[in-house]
Amino acid sequence: MATINNHYLKLKAGYLFPEIARRVNAFAAANPDAAIIKLGIGDVTEPLPEACRTAMIQAVHDMGDRSTFHGYGPEQGYLWLREKIAAQDFQARGCDIDASEIFISDGSKCDCGNILDILGSDNTIAVTDPVYPVYVDTNVMAGHTGPSNDQGEYDGLVYLPISADNNFTAEIPEQAVDLIYLCFPNNPTGAVASREHLQAWVNYANAHGSILLFDAAYEAFITDPTIPHSIYELEGARTCAIEFRSFSKNAGFTGTRCALTVVPKTLKGKAADGSEVDLHSLWNRRQSTKFNGVSYIVQRGAEAVYSEAGQSQIQALISFYMENATIIRDQLTQAGLSVYGGVNAPYVWVKTPHGLTSWDFFDKLLSQCHVVGTPGSGFGAAGEGYFRISAFNSRDNVNEAMARITATFQG
Ligand code: MLT
């Protein structure tokens, strides 16, 4: 009989979001009249910006004419999209990033996992706790960890606890670690990192030959002008950082799929013979072999994000979700709950009341308020006693969910 990748057997029972869906479906089946409001998974609800739709419709027409038809595109993405990203997302912020260092993909989640293809299996890996579970699970799948303990912590990973005490930004470790996953604005806590904090990480990484895997999927939600949007705004990041970005949250592409990963040509890793190898070439080789690019139609839609109309439409979307975040913060605070995040990020991180565990609070909200959130413990042991509420929903649903929660917890 063929054998399997045994590392999968080390994974905790289910990926967090399918487990939530399982519980919600069971509740819905038992309570068919309950009007459930989902503020769990960070999935957008508002329509795609008109500029993107118009561009995609035009692209469909292009595909219907032999003279403008597109077959396989470049595995790295079309240059017309990569050039706009380089100019508007990076160079406009003073980042020295060239279009040739940008790789278009179908998602940051995929790239965060796929990047492990080009990195060694003997690296020491640090993640924050709590953390976006994909960083951990993909390392487990790749055999980079031992088994997990009762709290879900895997042997072999270095956990950097984040809490209100350190503003949800990890202390720089004493020990040398090779790979560090950083996500700012943070999923799940909604925290942001100051320029000084990020510079300290860049300095640490350059001093130790480490690589920062910087997830900037929520950068568009930053409202504080002093907070960097890209790791490449920091001096020295070109020699120590890979950045992941996405069109999912800023432009509503969760169902459309388009993202990008930046691998600077100046970033090196060490080969078994001790020589230095540039990671850009390896990622290019990986993508060219395993990926055939994002569809022409979707890339045209993403390109429209950079038009004048596209920029104003995505700003309106971002503001809409951030107004939701403000409502959530204000209402939960009035209900007597302690809240974090939600100012520069679309996630509000809530301390569970009365010492409830994260999953107890999940069950209470679901059964009493018919509102779904995400248990903090699903993001790591240090997330126990916290709960994440997503600002991605319609205004009516956010208002209704908050009215139900405040009525339950104020009373
Ligand atoms: C989340 O809810 O954490 C996100 O939707 C997950 C993701 O973007 O993959």
Side-chain angles (χ1 to χ4, degrees):
M1 186 181 282
T3 60
I4 57 150
N5 177 349
N6 277 285
H7 300 302
Y8 276 62
L9 305 183
K10 294 179 207 156
L11 291 165
K12 302 302 286 178
Y15 179 58
L16 174 63
F17 295 106
E19 172 58 18
I20 290 171
R22 194 187 63 72
R23 292 190 187 214
V24 173
N25 291 342
F27 179 82
N31 302 275
D33 295 332
I36 297 172
I37 299 176
K38 295 182 181 169
L39 302 176
I41 191 164
D43 192 6
V44 295
T45 54
E46 302 310 297
L48 277 181
E50 192 193 344
C52 302
R53 282 182 280 130
T54 305
M56 285 192 259
I57 290 165
Q58 178 54 50
V60 170
H61 290 308
D62 292 350
M63 296 298 274
D65 187 314
R66 185 176 296 278
S67 66
T68 48
F69 172 78
H70 286 73
Y72 289 127
E75 294 91 350
Q76 302 78 4
Y78 287 102
L79 199 54
W80 34 259
L81 174 56
R82 299 160 82 203
E83 280 175 342
K84 291 203 172 66
I85 294 168
Q88 295 190 43
D89 283 346
F90 293 102
Q91 292 157 11
R93 289 193 181 277
C95 307
D96 176 19
I97 293 297
D98 184 73
S100 63
E101 298 175 309
I102 294 168
F103 294 82
I104 307 299
S105 79
D106 59 345
S108 282
K109 175 166 147 180
C110 322
D111 281 359
C112 284
N114 292 337
I115 200 75
L116 297 177
D117 274 12
I118 65 164
L119 297 166
S121 51
D122 47 358
N123 286 313
T124 317
I125 299 156
V127 292
T128 62
D129 182 8
V131 69
Y132 178 42
V134 171
Y135 312 148
V136 171
D137 287 3
T138 52
N139 275 290
V140 176
M141 291 171 175
H144 296 169
T145 73
S148 64
N149 63 18
D150 290 346
Q151 291 187 297
E153 294 164 324
Y154 288 91
D155 268 2
L157 290 184
V158 176
Y159 288 94
L160 307 173
I162 55 174
S163 67
D165 293 341
N166 56 17
N167 294 320
F168 302 99
T169 51
E171 311 295 339
I172 311 282
E174 304 272 311
Q175 70 197 103
V177 289
D178 301 309
L179 301 178
I180 303 117
Y181 289 85
L182 294 178
C183 174
F184 288 114
N186 187 249
N187 180 12
T189 66
V192 283
S194 68
R195 180 170 292 278
E196 294 69 31
H197 181 75
L198 292 176
Q199 188 65 62
W201 273 116
V202 167
N203 295 347
Y204 168 91
N206 278 324
H208 291 89
S210 327
I211 294 176
L212 304 177
L213 298 168
F214 190 78
D215 185 347
Y218 300 94
E219 61 76 30
F221 296 86
I222 293 172
T223 52
D224 179 341
T226 68
I227 301 294
H229 286 238
S230 167
I231 195 70
Y232 304 113
E233 289 178 53
L234 288 309
E235 189 71 35
R238 280 186 57 85
T239 49
C240 68
I242 291 174
E243 181 163 306
F244 305 98
R245 286 207 181 190
S246 173
F247 292 93
S248 283
K249 313 291 159 103
N250 63 341
F253 275 52
T254 52
T256 310
R257 311 307 307 150
C258 199
L260 59 116
T261 288
V262 183
V263 187
K265 290 181 177 162
T266 39
L267 181 65
K268 310 271 189 212
K270 195 168 70 180
D273 66 3
S275 61
E276 289 192 351
V277 175
D278 82 86
L279 288 162
H280 180 275
S281 306
L282 297 189
W283 185 244
N284 191 46
R285 184 72 172 84
R286 191 259 171 222
Q287 293 297 83
S288 308
T289 303
K290 292 195 178 182
F291 186 57
N292 264 331
V294 174
S295 80
Y296 169 73
I297 297 164
V298 168
Q299 290 193 64
R300 280 294 186 204
E303 182 194 26
V305 162
Y306 298 93
S307 65
E308 211 178 309
Q311 284 291 295
S312 89
Q313 289 161 19
I314 68 159
Q315 271 318 316
L317 263 183
I318 292 161
S319 301
F320 174 80
Y321 290 127
M322 289 310 292
E323 283 157 23
N324 282 349
T326 304
I327 292 169
I328 294 168
R329 274 184 64 92
D330 290 352
Q331 293 289 306
L332 296 182
T333 305
Q334 274 178 38
L337 298 170
S338 300
V339 301
Y340 305 93
V343 175
N344 292 289
Y347 294 125
V348 178
W349 189 241
V350 187
K351 183 90 194 86
T352 58
H354 316 305
L356 289 172
T357 68
S358 301
W359 277 109
D360 284 349
F361 190 63
F362 173 92
D363 290 334
K364 191 173 166 73
L365 273 197
L366 180 58
S367 60
Q368 294 185 10
C369 307
H370 305 165
V371 172
V372 179
T374 310
S377 56
F379 296 101
E384 182 57 272
Y386 287 91
F387 198 76
R388 193 192 76 176
I389 303 224
S390 156
F392 293 114
N393 215 309
S394 67
R395 184 60 44 80
D396 284 352
N397 276 349
V398 167
N399 282 333
E400 174 62 20
M402 291 307 115
R404 293 182 197 169
I405 294 175
T406 47
T408 301
F409 286 93
Q410 264 170 346

